[in-house]
Tab-separated table of all heavy atoms in Angstrom:
chain	number	residue	atom	x	y	z
A	1	MET	N	1.268	234.230	159.135
A	1	MET	CA	2.413	233.876	159.992
A	1	MET	C	2.197	234.420	161.398
A	1	MET	O	1.877	235.589	161.598
A	1	MET	CB	3.705	234.487	159.422
A	1	MET	CG	4.178	233.806	158.146
A	1	MET	SD	4.970	232.249	158.445
A	1	MET	CE	6.573	232.813	158.976
A	2	ALA	N	2.371	233.563	162.380
A	2	ALA	CA	2.260	234.001	163.776
A	2	ALA	C	3.517	234.759	164.181
A	2	ALA	O	4.636	234.323	163.910
A	2	ALA	CB	2.074	232.798	164.677
A	3	ASN	N	3.289	235.894	164.749
A	3	ASN	CA	4.420	236.715	165.186
A	3	ASN	C	4.209	237.159	166.620
A	3	ASN	O	3.071	237.374	167.044
A	3	ASN	CB	4.543	237.971	164.298
A	3	ASN	CG	5.599	237.787	163.239
A	3	ASN	OD1	6.586	237.096	163.453
A	3	ASN	ND2	5.390	238.396	162.100
A	4	PRO	N	5.288	237.327	167.385
A	4	PRO	CA	5.132	237.867	168.740
A	4	PRO	C	4.625	239.296	168.686
A	4	PRO	O	5.058	240.092	167.836
A	4	PRO	CB	6.539	237.776	169.328
A	4	PRO	CG	7.437	237.664	168.152
A	4	PRO	CD	6.656	236.988	167.063
A	5	LYS	N	3.667	239.608	169.567
A	5	LYS	CA	3.037	240.929	169.530
A	5	LYS	C	4.020	242.021	169.947
A	5	LYS	O	3.986	243.131	169.410
A	5	LYS	CB	1.826	240.947	170.450
A	5	LYS	CG	0.902	242.121	170.206
A	5	LYS	CD	-0.399	241.928	170.944
A	5	LYS	CE	-1.409	243.004	170.552
A	5	LYS	NZ	-2.695	242.827	171.231
A	6	ARG	N	4.854	241.702	170.934
A	6	ARG	CA	5.806	242.705	171.412
A	6	ARG	C	7.215	242.114	171.483
A	6	ARG	O	7.390	240.916	171.671
A	6	ARG	CB	5.408	243.201	172.808
A	6	ARG	CG	4.197	244.093	172.781
A	6	ARG	CD	3.889	244.642	174.157
A	6	ARG	NE	2.566	245.269	174.166
A	6	ARG	CZ	2.335	246.497	173.721
A	6	ARG	NH1	3.336	247.222	173.261
A	6	ARG	NH2	1.133	247.004	173.754
A	7	LYS	N	8.173	242.996	171.332
A	7	LYS	CA	9.574	242.592	171.464
A	7	LYS	C	9.888	242.277	172.922
A	7	LYS	O	9.397	242.960	173.831
A	7	LYS	CB	10.445	243.752	170.974
A	7	LYS	CG	11.930	243.558	171.188
A	7	LYS	CD	12.646	244.849	170.801
A	7	LYS	CE	14.106	244.791	171.138
A	7	LYS	NZ	14.784	246.065	170.843
A	8	HIS	N	10.679	241.236	173.146
A	8	HIS	CA	11.109	240.929	174.521
A	8	HIS	C	11.989	242.057	175.036
A	8	HIS	O	12.877	242.549	174.328
A	8	HIS	CB	11.921	239.630	174.542
A	8	HIS	CG	11.067	238.407	174.482
A	8	HIS	ND1	11.550	237.167	174.800
A	8	HIS	CD2	9.779	238.238	174.157
A	8	HIS	CE1	10.582	236.277	174.667
A	8	HIS	NE2	9.508	236.893	174.272
A	9	SER	N	11.783	242.415	176.298
A	9	SER	CA	12.636	243.443	176.888
A	9	SER	C	14.017	242.880	177.153
A	9	SER	O	14.217	241.670	177.208
A	9	SER	CB	12.026	243.939	178.190
A	9	SER	OG	12.019	242.899	179.145
A	10	LYS	N	14.994	243.763	177.307
A	10	LYS	CA	16.367	243.329	177.562
A	10	LYS	C	16.457	242.563	178.876
A	10	LYS	O	17.192	241.595	178.992
A	10	LYS	CB	17.300	244.540	177.608
A	10	LYS	CG	17.587	245.133	176.250
A	10	LYS	CD	18.453	246.379	176.368
A	10	LYS	CE	18.640	247.030	175.011
A	10	LYS	NZ	19.388	248.312	175.142
A	11	SER	N	15.678	243.006	179.874
A	11	SER	CA	15.732	242.331	181.175
A	11	SER	C	15.150	240.927	181.071
A	11	SER	O	15.654	239.993	181.685
A	11	SER	CB	14.990	243.143	182.226
A	11	SER	OG	13.622	243.210	181.898
A	12	ARG	N	14.100	240.764	180.274
A	12	ARG	CA	13.499	239.435	180.121
A	12	ARG	C	14.458	238.476	179.435
A	12	ARG	O	14.582	237.311	179.814
A	12	ARG	CB	12.199	239.565	179.316
A	12	ARG	CG	11.455	238.242	179.206
A	12	ARG	CD	10.118	238.430	178.517
A	12	ARG	NE	9.585	237.135	178.109
A	12	ARG	CZ	8.407	236.970	177.544
A	12	ARG	NH1	7.627	238.014	177.319
A	12	ARG	NH2	7.991	235.781	177.189
A	13	THR	N	15.147	238.945	178.392
A	13	THR	CA	16.129	238.116	177.712
A	13	THR	C	17.287	237.776	178.654
A	13	THR	O	17.766	236.649	178.680
A	13	THR	CB	16.666	238.855	176.482
A	13	THR	OG1	15.567	239.254	175.667
A	13	THR	CG2	17.589	237.970	175.681
A	14	ALA	N	17.712	238.768	179.441
A	14	ALA	CA	18.833	238.543	180.352
A	14	ALA	C	18.473	237.541	181.434
A	14	ALA	O	19.297	236.702	181.814
A	14	ALA	CB	19.253	239.866	180.982
A	15	LYS	N	17.233	237.598	181.920
A	15	LYS	CA	16.805	236.650	182.958
A	15	LYS	C	16.814	235.226	182.418
A	15	LYS	O	17.228	234.294	183.083
A	15	LYS	CB	15.396	237.009	183.432
A	15	LYS	CG	15.361	238.135	184.444
A	15	LYS	CD	13.907	238.477	184.760
A	15	LYS	CE	13.851	239.765	185.579
A	15	LYS	NZ	12.461	240.239	185.720
A	16	ARG	N	16.303	235.047	181.181
A	16	ARG	CA	16.269	233.701	180.587
A	16	ARG	C	17.692	233.174	180.386
A	16	ARG	O	17.990	232.023	180.689
A	16	ARG	CB	15.527	233.766	179.251
A	16	ARG	CG	15.649	232.479	178.461
A	16	ARG	CD	14.706	232.455	177.258
A	16	ARG	NE	14.604	233.720	176.568
A	16	ARG	CZ	15.468	234.154	175.652
A	16	ARG	NH1	16.514	233.406	175.320
A	16	ARG	NH2	15.307	235.313	175.051
A	17	ARG	N	18.579	234.007	179.877
A	17	ARG	CA	19.942	233.559	179.616
A	17	ARG	C	20.683	233.243	180.903
A	17	ARG	O	21.512	232.341	180.943
A	17	ARG	CB	20.690	234.635	178.824
A	17	ARG	CG	20.225	234.688	177.385
A	17	ARG	CD	20.948	235.774	176.610
A	17	ARG	NE	20.482	235.807	175.220
A	17	ARG	CZ	20.786	236.769	174.360
A	17	ARG	NH1	21.547	237.793	174.744
A	17	ARG	NH2	20.344	236.736	173.127
A	18	SER	N	20.404	234.010	181.945
A	18	SER	CA	21.129	233.802	183.203
A	18	SER	C	20.767	232.452	183.805
A	18	SER	O	21.620	231.776	184.382
A	18	SER	CB	20.817	234.926	184.176
A	18	SER	OG	19.452	234.864	184.561
A	19	THR	N	19.499	232.012	183.670
A	19	THR	CA	19.110	230.738	184.254
A	19	THR	C	19.647	229.574	183.430
A	19	THR	O	20.003	228.542	183.971
A	19	THR	CB	17.579	230.618	184.343
A	19	THR	OG1	17.027	230.855	183.055
A	19	THR	CG2	17.016	231.606	185.340
A	20	LYS	N	19.702	229.737	182.096
A	20	LYS	CA	20.173	228.637	181.258
A	20	LYS	C	21.670	228.436	181.413
A	20	LYS	O	22.161	227.335	181.303
A	20	LYS	CB	19.839	228.913	179.788
A	20	LYS	CG	18.393	228.627	179.461
A	20	LYS	CD	18.156	228.509	177.968
A	20	LYS	CE	16.741	228.034	177.693
A	20	LYS	NZ	16.468	227.920	176.250
A	21	LYS	N	22.408	229.512	181.637
A	21	LYS	CA	23.858	229.372	181.746
A	21	LYS	C	24.245	228.620	183.012
A	21	LYS	O	25.295	228.000	183.063
A	21	LYS	CB	24.526	230.751	181.730
A	21	LYS	CG	24.689	231.293	180.331
A	21	LYS	CD	25.506	232.560	180.298
A	21	LYS	CE	25.662	233.033	178.871
A	21	LYS	NZ	26.377	234.326	178.808
A	22	LEU	N	23.385	228.707	184.037
A	22	LEU	CA	23.693	228.015	185.284
A	22	LEU	C	23.629	226.502	185.103
A	22	LEU	O	24.279	225.767	185.821
A	22	LEU	CB	22.711	228.440	186.382
A	22	LEU	CG	22.893	229.862	186.913
A	22	LEU	CD1	21.769	230.208	187.861
A	22	LEU	CD2	24.238	230.005	187.617
A	23	LYS	N	22.827	226.036	184.118
A	23	LYS	CA	22.667	224.594	183.931
A	23	LYS	C	23.884	223.960	183.266
A	23	LYS	O	24.071	222.769	183.323
A	23	LYS	CB	21.419	224.321	183.086
A	23	LYS	CG	20.129	224.616	183.831
A	23	LYS	CD	18.918	224.360	182.939
A	23	LYS	CE	17.650	224.747	183.667
A	23	LYS	NZ	16.462	224.621	182.798
A	24	ILE	N	24.684	224.780	182.580
A	24	ILE	CA	25.850	224.226	181.884
A	24	ILE	C	26.959	223.980	182.906
A	24	ILE	O	27.630	224.892	183.345
A	24	ILE	CB	26.327	225.180	180.771
A	24	ILE	CG1	25.202	225.411	179.778
A	24	ILE	CG2	27.552	224.611	180.083
A	24	ILE	CD1	25.510	226.498	178.769
A	25	GLN	N	27.106	222.743	183.310
A	25	GLN	CA	28.145	222.387	184.269
A	25	GLN	C	28.939	221.186	183.783
A	25	GLN	O	29.521	220.456	184.567
A	25	GLN	CB	27.512	222.094	185.631
A	25	GLN	CG	26.917	223.333	186.289
A	25	GLN	CD	26.202	223.006	187.574
A	25	GLN	OE1	25.835	221.872	187.809
A	25	GLN	NE2	26.018	223.995	188.417
A	26	ASN	N	28.931	220.969	182.458
A	26	ASN	CA	29.656	219.816	181.926
A	26	ASN	C	31.153	220.065	181.976
A	26	ASN	O	31.627	221.152	181.653
A	26	ASN	CB	29.232	219.579	180.469
A	26	ASN	CG	27.785	219.169	180.386
A	26	ASN	OD1	27.261	218.578	181.320
A	26	ASN	ND2	27.154	219.488	179.278
A	27	LEU	N	31.886	219.038	182.362
A	27	LEU	CA	33.336	219.136	182.388
A	27	LEU	C	33.918	217.837	181.857
A	27	LEU	O	33.412	216.758	182.138
A	27	LEU	CB	33.839	219.388	183.819
A	27	LEU	CG	33.547	220.768	184.398
A	27	LEU	CD1	33.954	220.817	185.861
A	27	LEU	CD2	34.295	221.832	183.622
A	28	SER	N	34.961	217.963	181.068
A	28	SER	CA	35.653	216.786	180.584
A	28	SER	C	37.137	216.935	180.896
A	28	SER	O	37.612	218.027	181.196
A	28	SER	CB	35.439	216.606	179.076
A	28	SER	OG	36.041	217.678	178.381
A	29	VAL	N	37.857	215.833	180.809
A	29	VAL	CA	39.281	215.837	181.130
A	29	VAL	C	40.081	215.773	179.834
A	29	VAL	O	39.772	214.972	178.952
A	29	VAL	CB	39.629	214.649	182.045
A	29	VAL	CG1	41.115	214.632	182.351
A	29	VAL	CG2	38.812	214.721	183.327
A	30	CYS	N	41.079	216.608	179.718
A	30	CYS	CA	41.935	216.613	178.535
A	30	CYS	C	42.767	215.337	178.506
A	30	CYS	O	43.426	215.021	179.494
A	30	CYS	CB	42.828	217.849	178.563
A	30	CYS	SG	44.082	217.851	177.269
A	31	PRO	N	42.749	214.582	177.388
A	31	PRO	CA	43.541	213.346	177.330
A	31	PRO	C	45.040	213.610	177.236
A	31	PRO	O	45.839	212.706	177.471
A	31	PRO	CB	43.019	212.664	176.055
A	31	PRO	CG	42.487	213.780	175.235
A	31	PRO	CD	41.980	214.817	176.186
A	32	ASN	N	45.411	214.828	176.888
A	32	ASN	CA	46.834	215.137	176.711
A	32	ASN	C	47.496	215.549	178.026
A	32	ASN	O	48.559	215.059	178.372
A	32	ASN	CB	46.973	216.249	175.671
A	32	ASN	CG	48.398	216.382	175.188
A	32	ASN	OD1	49.011	215.402	174.775
A	32	ASN	ND2	48.931	217.583	175.255
A	33	CYS	N	46.857	216.449	178.785
A	33	CYS	CA	47.488	216.956	180.004
A	33	CYS	C	46.637	216.696	181.244
A	33	CYS	O	47.014	217.119	182.331
A	33	CYS	CB	47.781	218.451	179.866
A	33	CYS	SG	46.292	219.457	179.699
A	34	ASN	N	45.487	215.990	181.097
A	34	ASN	CA	44.630	215.598	182.228
A	34	ASN	C	44.083	216.790	183.009
A	34	ASN	O	43.787	216.664	184.190
A	34	ASN	CB	45.377	214.656	183.174
A	34	ASN	CG	45.670	213.330	182.505
A	34	ASN	OD1	44.875	212.856	181.700
A	34	ASN	ND2	46.797	212.737	182.822
A	35	SER	N	43.955	217.926	182.372
A	35	SER	CA	43.359	219.071	183.048
A	35	SER	C	41.859	219.137	182.727
A	35	SER	O	41.417	218.593	181.710
A	35	SER	CB	44.049	220.359	182.607
A	35	SER	OG	43.779	220.597	181.242
A	36	ILE	N	41.093	219.791	183.580
A	36	ILE	CA	39.650	219.898	183.381
A	36	ILE	C	39.363	220.982	182.353
A	36	ILE	O	39.887	222.096	182.438
A	36	ILE	CB	38.961	220.214	184.713
A	36	ILE	CG1	39.205	219.080	185.706
A	36	ILE	CG2	37.467	220.418	184.504
A	36	ILE	CD1	38.803	219.434	187.125
A	37	LYS	N	38.513	220.661	181.376
A	37	LYS	CA	38.170	221.610	180.322
A	37	LYS	C	36.721	221.391	179.911
A	37	LYS	O	36.164	220.340	180.178
A	37	LYS	CB	39.108	221.427	179.125
A	37	LYS	CG	38.878	220.128	178.372
A	37	LYS	CD	39.702	220.079	177.108
A	37	LYS	CE	39.320	218.905	176.233
A	37	LYS	NZ	37.925	218.992	175.753
A	38	PRO	N	36.088	222.386	179.259
A	38	PRO	CA	34.741	222.172	178.732
A	38	PRO	C	34.772	221.199	177.570
A	38	PRO	O	35.747	221.175	176.808
A	38	PRO	CB	34.294	223.572	178.288
A	38	PRO	CG	35.551	224.349	178.156
A	38	PRO	CD	36.535	223.768	179.120
A	39	PRO	N	33.718	220.363	177.398
A	39	PRO	CA	33.715	219.379	176.324
A	39	PRO	C	33.575	220.012	174.948
A	39	PRO	O	32.999	221.083	174.802
A	39	PRO	CB	32.495	218.502	176.648
A	39	PRO	CG	31.605	219.376	177.448
A	39	PRO	CD	32.504	220.283	178.229
A	40	HIS	N	34.088	219.335	173.921
A	40	HIS	CA	34.024	219.761	172.522
A	40	HIS	C	34.716	221.095	172.298
A	40	HIS	O	34.353	221.870	171.410
A	40	HIS	CB	32.575	219.836	172.015
A	40	HIS	CG	31.777	218.618	172.366
A	40	HIS	ND1	32.029	217.380	171.849
A	40	HIS	CD2	30.741	218.461	173.219
A	40	HIS	CE1	31.175	216.518	172.346
A	40	HIS	NE2	30.383	217.130	173.194
A	41	VAL	N	35.727	221.379	173.125
A	41	VAL	CA	36.447	222.642	173.023
A	41	VAL	C	37.933	222.340	173.145
A	41	VAL	O	38.332	221.413	173.848
A	41	VAL	CB	35.983	223.612	174.145
A	41	VAL	CG1	36.903	224.826	174.245
A	41	VAL	CG2	34.555	224.070	173.893
A	42	MET	N	38.751	223.102	172.443
A	42	MET	CA	40.198	222.970	172.548
A	42	MET	C	40.643	223.169	173.992
A	42	MET	O	40.125	224.024	174.701
A	42	MET	CB	40.839	224.024	171.640
A	42	MET	CG	42.348	224.070	171.730
A	42	MET	SD	43.010	225.546	170.949
A	42	MET	CE	42.663	226.759	172.211
A	43	CYS	N	41.628	222.376	174.445
A	43	CYS	CA	42.120	222.487	175.813
A	43	CYS	C	42.813	223.836	176.005
A	43	CYS	O	43.695	224.199	175.225
A	43	CYS	CB	43.098	221.347	176.089
A	43	CYS	SG	43.906	221.502	177.685
A	44	PRO	N	42.424	224.633	177.009
A	44	PRO	CA	43.041	225.951	177.205
A	44	PRO	C	44.464	225.871	177.733
A	44	PRO	O	45.199	226.850	177.667
A	44	PRO	CB	42.116	226.618	178.239
A	44	PRO	CG	41.475	225.481	178.956
A	44	PRO	CD	41.356	224.354	177.961
A	45	VAL	N	44.875	224.702	178.266
A	45	VAL	CA	46.205	224.577	178.864
A	45	VAL	C	47.237	224.210	177.804
A	45	VAL	O	48.247	224.881	177.633
A	45	VAL	CB	46.177	223.538	180.007
A	45	VAL	CG1	47.560	223.376	180.613
A	45	VAL	CG2	45.166	223.955	181.071
A	46	CYS	N	46.969	223.125	177.049
A	46	CYS	CA	47.973	222.618	176.104
A	46	CYS	C	47.565	222.845	174.652
A	46	CYS	O	48.318	222.498	173.752
A	46	CYS	CB	48.220	221.136	176.350
A	46	CYS	SG	46.770	220.097	176.059
A	47	HIS	N	46.395	223.439	174.377
A	47	HIS	CA	45.929	223.768	173.027
A	47	HIS	C	45.809	222.534	172.152
A	47	HIS	O	46.082	222.586	170.959
A	47	HIS	CB	46.829	224.809	172.371
A	47	HIS	CG	46.906	226.092	173.157
A	47	HIS	ND1	45.874	226.979	173.243
A	47	HIS	CD2	47.902	226.602	173.918
A	47	HIS	CE1	46.226	227.996	174.007
A	47	HIS	NE2	47.443	227.788	174.441
A	48	TYR	N	45.424	221.399	172.747
A	48	TYR	CA	45.194	220.189	171.974
A	48	TYR	C	43.698	219.916	171.882
A	48	TYR	O	42.958	220.187	172.810
A	48	TYR	CB	45.888	218.986	172.630
A	48	TYR	CG	47.262	218.720	172.075
A	48	TYR	CD1	48.330	219.507	172.461
A	48	TYR	CD2	47.478	217.676	171.177
A	48	TYR	CE1	49.601	219.272	171.966
A	48	TYR	CE2	48.747	217.432	170.676
A	48	TYR	CZ	49.801	218.230	171.072
A	48	TYR	OH	51.045	217.994	170.568
A	49	TYR	N	43.256	219.393	170.727
A	49	TYR	CA	41.874	218.967	170.564
A	49	TYR	C	41.850	217.746	169.663
A	49	TYR	O	42.380	217.787	168.549
A	49	TYR	CB	41.024	220.094	169.964
A	49	TYR	CG	39.566	219.710	169.811
A	49	TYR	CD1	38.802	219.409	170.927
A	49	TYR	CD2	38.985	219.636	168.566
A	49	TYR	CE1	37.484	219.041	170.794
A	49	TYR	CE2	37.668	219.280	168.426
A	49	TYR	CZ	36.911	218.978	169.548
A	49	TYR	OH	35.606	218.615	169.422
A	50	LYS	N	41.248	216.650	170.146
A	50	LYS	CA	41.174	215.376	169.426
A	50	LYS	C	42.567	214.909	169.007
A	50	LYS	O	42.769	214.400	167.904
A	50	LYS	CB	40.256	215.488	168.198
A	50	LYS	CG	38.791	215.573	168.574
A	50	LYS	CD	37.928	215.569	167.322
A	50	LYS	CE	36.450	215.592	167.703
A	50	LYS	NZ	35.588	215.618	166.512
A	51	GLY	N	43.554	215.121	169.867
A	51	GLY	CA	44.898	214.609	169.605
A	51	GLY	C	45.722	215.466	168.676
A	51	GLY	O	46.855	215.132	168.364
A	52	ASN	N	45.170	216.591	168.207
A	52	ASN	CA	45.917	217.466	167.313
A	52	ASN	C	46.200	218.793	167.995
A	52	ASN	O	45.363	219.307	168.749
A	52	ASN	CB	45.128	217.728	166.026
A	52	ASN	CG	44.891	216.455	165.246
A	52	ASN	OD1	45.786	215.633	165.103
A	52	ASN	ND2	43.674	216.285	164.757
A	53	LEU	N	47.361	219.352	167.720
A	53	LEU	CA	47.712	220.647	168.289
A	53	LEU	C	47.012	221.747	167.506
A	53	LEU	O	47.186	221.865	166.290
A	53	LEU	CB	49.236	220.866	168.244
A	53	LEU	CG	49.715	222.215	168.782
A	53	LEU	CD1	49.405	222.349	170.271
A	53	LEU	CD2	51.198	222.373	168.556
A	54	VAL	N	46.212	222.520	168.190
A	54	VAL	CA	45.510	223.631	167.555
A	54	VAL	C	46.344	224.890	167.792
A	54	VAL	O	46.590	225.270	168.920
A	54	VAL	CB	44.098	223.799	168.140
A	54	VAL	CG1	43.377	224.939	167.443
A	54	VAL	CG2	43.308	222.510	168.007
A	55	ILE	N	46.777	225.494	166.695
A	55	ILE	CA	47.636	226.669	166.818
A	55	ILE	C	46.789	227.865	167.219
A	55	ILE	O	45.762	228.135	166.596
A	55	ILE	CB	48.362	226.943	165.481
A	55	ILE	CG1	49.189	225.720	165.088
A	55	ILE	CG2	49.248	228.168	165.601
A	55	ILE	CD1	49.702	225.777	163.673
A	56	PRO	N	47.201	228.592	168.266
A	56	PRO	CA	46.431	229.773	168.679
A	56	PRO	C	46.402	230.845	167.592
A	56	PRO	O	47.289	230.923	166.733
A	56	PRO	CB	47.200	230.283	169.913
A	56	PRO	CG	47.974	229.106	170.385
A	56	PRO	CD	48.298	228.306	169.158
A	57	VAL	N	45.363	231.676	167.624
A	57	VAL	CA	45.157	232.707	166.608
A	57	VAL	C	46.272	233.750	166.656
A	57	VAL	O	46.666	234.303	165.647
A	57	VAL	CB	43.776	233.364	166.805
A	57	VAL	CG1	43.543	234.438	165.752
A	57	VAL	CG2	42.678	232.310	166.728
A	58	LYS	N	46.800	233.996	167.873
A	58	LYS	CA	47.817	235.040	168.024
A	58	LYS	C	49.072	234.726	167.217
A	58	LYS	O	49.690	235.597	166.633
A	58	LYS	CB	48.167	235.201	169.507
A	58	LYS	CG	47.065	235.836	170.320
A	58	LYS	CD	47.469	235.925	171.795
A	58	LYS	CE	46.322	236.505	172.621
A	58	LYS	NZ	46.653	236.538	174.048
A	59	GLU	N	49.448	233.417	167.168
A	59	GLU	CA	50.665	233.056	166.442
A	59	GLU	C	50.488	233.179	164.941
A	59	GLU	O	51.416	233.505	164.225
A	59	GLU	CB	51.059	231.624	166.799
A	59	GLU	CG	51.607	231.519	168.215
A	59	GLU	CD	52.146	230.136	168.520
A	59	GLU	OE1	52.349	229.355	167.570
A	59	GLU	OE2	52.332	229.836	169.689
A	60	LYS	N	49.244	232.932	164.439
A	60	LYS	CA	49.009	233.040	163.003
A	60	LYS	C	49.169	234.483	162.524
A	60	LYS	O	49.684	234.737	161.447
A	60	LYS	CB	47.588	232.565	162.682
A	60	LYS	CG	47.461	231.054	162.650
A	60	LYS	CD	46.057	230.652	162.210
A	60	LYS	CE	45.935	229.125	162.133
A	60	LYS	NZ	44.570	228.740	161.749
A	61	SER	N	48.757	235.442	163.352
A	61	SER	CA	48.839	236.841	162.936
A	61	SER	C	50.288	237.306	162.881
A	61	SER	O	50.651	238.177	162.096
A	61	SER	CB	48.056	237.730	163.914
A	61	SER	OG	48.596	237.609	165.219
A	62	LYS	N	51.157	236.694	163.691
A	62	LYS	CA	52.569	237.102	163.695
A	62	LYS	C	53.268	236.678	162.407
A	62	LYS	O	54.204	237.336	161.947
A	62	LYS	CB	53.282	236.481	164.896
A	62	LYS	CG	52.951	237.155	166.204
A	62	LYS	CD	53.680	236.477	167.361
A	62	LYS	CE	53.299	237.108	168.684
A	62	LYS	NZ	53.923	236.409	169.816
A	63	GLU	N	52.839	235.545	161.803
A	63	GLU	CA	53.488	235.060	160.594
A	63	GLU	C	53.278	236.016	159.429
A	63	GLU	O	54.129	236.135	158.554
A	63	GLU	CB	52.944	233.675	160.245
A	63	GLU	CG	53.410	232.600	161.235
A	63	GLU	CD	52.751	231.255	160.936
A	63	GLU	OE1	51.998	231.160	159.951
A	63	GLU	OE2	52.981	230.316	161.703
A	64	LYS	N	52.143	236.682	159.389
A	64	LYS	CA	51.874	237.618	158.303
A	64	LYS	C	52.664	238.879	158.535
A	64	LYS	O	53.396	239.413	157.874
A	64	LYS	CB	50.394	237.960	158.257
A	64	LYS	CG	49.531	236.777	157.835
A	64	LYS	CD	48.062	237.145	157.904
A	64	LYS	CE	47.184	235.956	157.588
A	64	LYS	NZ	45.764	236.278	157.766
B	1	ZN	ZN1	45.343	219.697	177.657
C-alpha cells in the first residue's frame, strides 16, 4: 500500500483549505422569501427547505 512519507503540516492543510473555500461562491434564492442563501441548505431567514418548514434545533430541545 502506498502511503505518504510524512504527515502534512497544519500550515500546509490550512493553505489548501483557504484557497478552496474562496472558490465557493454559489448563491441561490429562497423560493419562499426571495432572500439569498447557499444552495442545498435550509433558508436562514424563514427556515424553509424544499417547501417544507424545517424546525430549528433550539425549539426541539425546549419540548423535552
Ligand atoms: Zn427563505
Side-chain angles (χ1 to χ4, degrees):
M1 288 283 281
N3 261 328
K5 196 169 188 179
R6 287 184 192 279
K7 173 186 173 184
H8 281 196
S9 66
K10 286 177 185 175
S11 64
R12 184 175 165 177
T13 306
K15 279 176 190 171
R16 170 170 40 83
R17 287 179 180 170
S18 66
T19 54
K20 282 197 172 179
K21 278 188 179 176
L22 288 173
K23 290 179 184 175
I24 301 171
Q25 292 175 340
N26 294 332
L27 289 173
S28 65
V29 179
C30 172
N32 194 52
C33 64
N34 293 326
S35 66
I36 298 168
K37 70 173 189 63
H40 313 293
V41 169
M42 176 193 78
C43 173
V45 179
C46 63
H47 301 288
Y48 266 77
Y49 182 63
K50 288 185 177 179
N52 297 317
L53 178 64
V54 181
I55 302 168
V57 180
K58 289 178 183 177
E59 288 187 15
K60 281 185 178 178
S61 60
K62 285 179 183 176
E63 290 175 3
K64 292 176 184 175

